Amino acid sequence: MTQTAAPKVVTRFPPSPTGALHLGGARTALFNWLYARHHGGRFVLRMEDTDRKRSKDEYVDSILEAMAWLGLDHDEGPYYQSQRFDRYRQAIDQLLEDGRAYWCHCSPEKLKQTREAAMAQGKKAMYDGACREAGLGPAEGAVVRFKGPRTGSTEFNDMVKGVISWANSEMDDLVILRSDSSPTYHLAVVVDDIDMGVTHVIRGDDHVPNTPRQILLYEALGATPPRFAHIPMILGPDKSKLSKRHGATSVVEFRDQGYLPEAMINALARLGWSHGDQEIFSIDELIELFDLDAVGKSPAVFDFEKLTRHNQRYIQKASLERLLELVTPFLARRGIKQFDQPTLVAALPHLTPRATTLVELADWAEPYLLEQPVMDPKAVKKFLKPQNQAVLQAVRGMVERVGVTDLGALEEAFRALCEELGLKMGKVAQPTRVALTGRTFSPGIFEVMAILGKDRVLKRLEAAMETAGG
RNA sequence: GGUCCCAUCGUCUAGUGGUCUAGGAUAUCGGCCUCUCACGCCGAAGACACGGGUUCGAGUCCCGUUGGGACUGCCA
């Protein structure tokens, strides 16, 4: 007998488009994507936009953009829950018919009062089940509630946390249809995961308390629950839930700050997951190595410094061609739209070890791409002094004579010149560096000359001599 | 308050009862390299939350304490 071709693993990522894709969501998406890819399964994208007031199209676009940037491609979707209301209604009707749900006429005000009263007495703030056995029908302002069991317990074997058991008495009857006749999250998510054949639900562990109630819903709907894997949350440096006040938290912000997607992926993957002592992983390695059994249980503080370090390494590793493409928008952003590409190509290999982000890389590249470098006033004051005019003059003469193409010859001549002047290398190199780049730091002085070429070196030295003389 | 989850260097983590005087990464500090700034290399400091058990033996298993977190919505 041959088995049907139904994929054995189907994962999904269901963001609600009420904000940009955050680090936590991105990691959840990554783990789902990796799990599907590792097992040769399918990855479904679904927008949970049942809350029509808070969901916005611009967030849908922004989430899609972030996913694409990270390279997390989906095999199905994006589905939109807002387009599946008929299906949810059908499931709710079925539940009503089967006696697994009931109409509730309690007003939000009344509910709030009972809740507060319960809290005041130090009791559990749960729905009291007033309408549970009332046999009510639909009415203006009414909702439908799921009729959950009052006794026993619901248990599941979480793939990262192990067995988790929940007393049914701890769960009240949750609303599945709102008074505006839209379905709630719990109902929609379960119906969708059934319809879409989801086999593994990998999500943040803030969903742990939702899981037993959803399992009950699966059973009421006559479906087998999927496997669950609850991954620990990502925290800010103060160990509280990561939020805006911790700095950049949305994926596109990192992109705009000059981070490479593979650095993001690497950093995110290592948060809660590990493979021995290995720190650097390519996408292919992650797909090959990733599995849920190596996911940790405890929450993790996001380490921005480590991400930056990863980013620096990835910038160093990137091909010249890609770097060119990556850095161009960042150059444009600082007003450098037209420039001599060969100069940038020559400069880039010397710049990458010095840049931790693409923003910095563009900054490092600037002196070589501008007609005249922007002179740092402090550097000018310190190094382009009258007494250095002669030094610059001597360097100019040397460059005129030996050129800048033969680095060996250039260095030899430069050192000879220092000796001749009776000056240490640094005393000659620093004024030259400022003359050529406008700054006190740069790649090696000979590399700088080679990048600029003889003509520009001579021109800049002359300009600097004038500055020093004046 | 209740329910549930979690607990190794500052941070991310390795560690699945003996090989742990606890390993790696990052951050910090020191050194080397050196024309500056980086990169790179070498080195230092730095952790098993606490208390009970189980065991010949516990970072590893069990219980408790403490601490942290999540949930407790007609948000998802």
Side-chain angles (χ1 to χ4, degrees):
Chain A
M1 282 289 283
T2 29
Q3 284 296 103
T4 50
K8 52 188 184 300
V9 169
V10 178
T11 64
R12 45 46 154 202
F13 178 57
S16 66
T18 53
L21 182 64
H22 280 229
L23 290 175
R27 192 193 49 161
T28 300
L30 173 64
F31 280 18
N32 275 286
W33 183 84
L34 286 173
Y35 193 74
R37 292 287 170 268
H38 176 81
H39 290 284
R42 299 175 66 72
F43 177 60
V44 178
L45 182 60
R46 178 173 79 222
M47 294 292 167
E48 307 223 318
D49 55 352
T50 55
D51 184 346
R52 291 181 278 200
K53 287 181 221 73
R54 296 201 304 145
S55 300
K56 293 209 169 71
D57 286 348
E58 60 187 278
Y59 293 132
V60 169
D61 295 341
S62 148
I63 290 167
L64 256 18
E65 194 182 323
M67 297 277 290
W69 180 67
L70 288 171
L72 304 180
D73 56 322
H74 47 275
D75 305 303
E76 254 180 67
Y79 293 110
Y80 293 85
Q81 291 190 327
S82 56
Q83 293 170 7
R84 291 173 44 81
F85 278 19
D86 289 349
R87 170 70 184 106
Y88 305 135
R89 190 53 208 252
Q90 182 194 334
I92 290 164
D93 286 343
Q94 186 199 321
L95 254 15
L96 243 13
E97 208 168 301
D98 295 347
R100 306 302 304 265
Y102 60 92
W103 286 96
C104 170
H105 289 7
C106 298
S107 69
E109 296 75 37
K110 186 198 155 191
L111 258 21
K112 200 179 166 201
Q113 278 171 19
T114 22
R115 190 158 46 233
E116 281 168 0
M119 287 284 247
Q121 289 175 48
K123 288 194 197 148
K124 292 167 215 155
M126 302 203 312
Y127 173 59
D128 59 7
C131 303
R132 189 174 157 106
E133 306 297 344
L136 298 167
E140 178 72 26
V143 300
V144 173
R145 284 181 187 273
F146 175 64
K147 195 173 193 172
R150 283 277 165 93
T151 57
S153 65
T154 301
E155 200 174 85
F156 63 101
N157 191 190
D158 192 276
M159 290 177 84
V160 346
K161 305 228 181 230
V163 175
I164 294 176
S165 178
W166 217 279
N168 292 150
S169 58
E170 290 296 327
M171 297 183 264
D172 57 3
D173 291 343
L174 77 210
V175 172
I176 54 177
L177 184 75
R178 296 188 186 100
S179 57
D180 69 355
S181 73
S182 63
T184 60
Y185 158 73
H186 288 284
L187 189 276
V189 89
V190 169
V191 170
D192 282 346
D193 286 342
I194 293 171
D195 288 358
M196 293 165 196
V198 171
T199 60
H200 297 260
V201 171
I202 303 167
R203 66 206 332 190
D205 69 10
D206 48 337
H207 283 286
V208 166
N210 295 335
T211 307
R213 353 185 66 168
Q214 290 171 7
I215 287 172
L216 258 15
L217 235 23
Y218 274 97
E219 286 163 356
L221 255 10
T224 308
R227 295 299 308 274
F228 291 93
H230 288 95
I231 60 180
M233 318 229 4
I234 298 182
L235 274 25
D238 62 356
K239 302 228 177 196
S240 70
K241 201 168 171 175
L242 193 64
S243 71
K244 273 283 164 204
R245 70 199 153 82
H246 297 118
T249 51
S250 86
V251 169
V252 288
E253 277 179 275
F254 283 98
R255 178 197 60 192
D256 295 344
Q257 285 178 15
Y259 288 88
L260 267 49
E262 55 268 45
M264 281 309 294
I265 293 277
N266 202 138
L268 254 15
R270 279 289 288 106
L271 221 53
W273 175 84
S274 61
H275 181 73
D277 284 342
Q278 191 171 344
E279 294 287 342
I280 305 294
F281 297 89
S282 68
I283 299 288
D284 288 342
E285 278 177 307
L286 287 174
I287 291 172
E288 191 194 325
L289 299 170
F290 183 84
D291 219 330
L292 258 13
D293 51 19
V295 173
K297 298 179 181 184
S298 45
V301 174
F302 187 75
D303 190 345
F304 291 88
E305 284 167 329
K306 206 162 181 173
L307 167 67
T308 301
R309 191 71 169 106
H310 278 314
N311 204 51
Q312 182 171 28
R313 296 233 168 89
Y314 278 104
I315 286 176
Q316 278 182 74
K317 251 189 353 200
S319 73
L320 207 52
E321 194 181 27
R322 187 155 109 86
L323 233 31
L324 228 39
E325 195 180 313
L326 286 172
V327 79
T328 301
F330 288 89
L331 286 169
R333 220 160 72 178
R334 48 167 55 224
I336 305 172
K337 298 202 167 96
Q338 302 282 319
F339 59 85
D340 182 53
Q341 186 144 315
T343 302
L344 183 55
V345 169
L348 243 18
H350 306 289
L351 271 24
T352 49
R354 295 169 166 84
T356 63
T357 65
L358 295 172
V359 170
E360 284 186 19
L361 188 60
D363 180 61
W364 276 101
E366 188 187 87
Y368 313 95
L369 303 178
L370 256 28
E371 188 55 38
Q372 284 297 324
V374 177
M375 306 301 284
D376 169 21
K378 278 166 81 178
V380 169
K381 194 171 174 211
K382 187 165 178 198
F383 293 104
L384 300 188
K385 298 180 288 198
Q387 58 263 48
N388 275 335
Q389 206 180 7
V391 172
L392 295 171
Q393 171 82 56
V395 173
R396 206 213 90 99
M398 183 275 292
V399 170
E400 177 87 75
R401 207 170 62 243
V402 304
V404 298
T405 43
D406 183 341
L407 282 188
L410 181 58
E411 175 159 3
E412 204 178 313
F414 197 96
R415 288 187 187 280
L417 180 66
C418 294
E419 196 140 338
E420 204 178 301
L421 294 169
L423 292 171
K424 282 193 167 180
M425 180 96 167
K427 292 282 180 194
V428 184
Q430 276 307 79
T432 306
R433 171 168 286 113
V434 173
L436 297 180
T437 67
R439 350 228 263 208
T440 53
F441 49 90
S442 79
I445 196 66
F446 312 118
E447 281 77 26
V448 168
M449 292 186 185
I451 291 164
L452 288 169
K454 186 174 176 179
D455 290 350
R456 278 187 289 180
V457 169
L458 294 177
K459 241 167 78 182
R460 291 186 182 194
L461 283 171
E462 281 153 20
M465 280 158 60
E466 205 166 306
T467 306

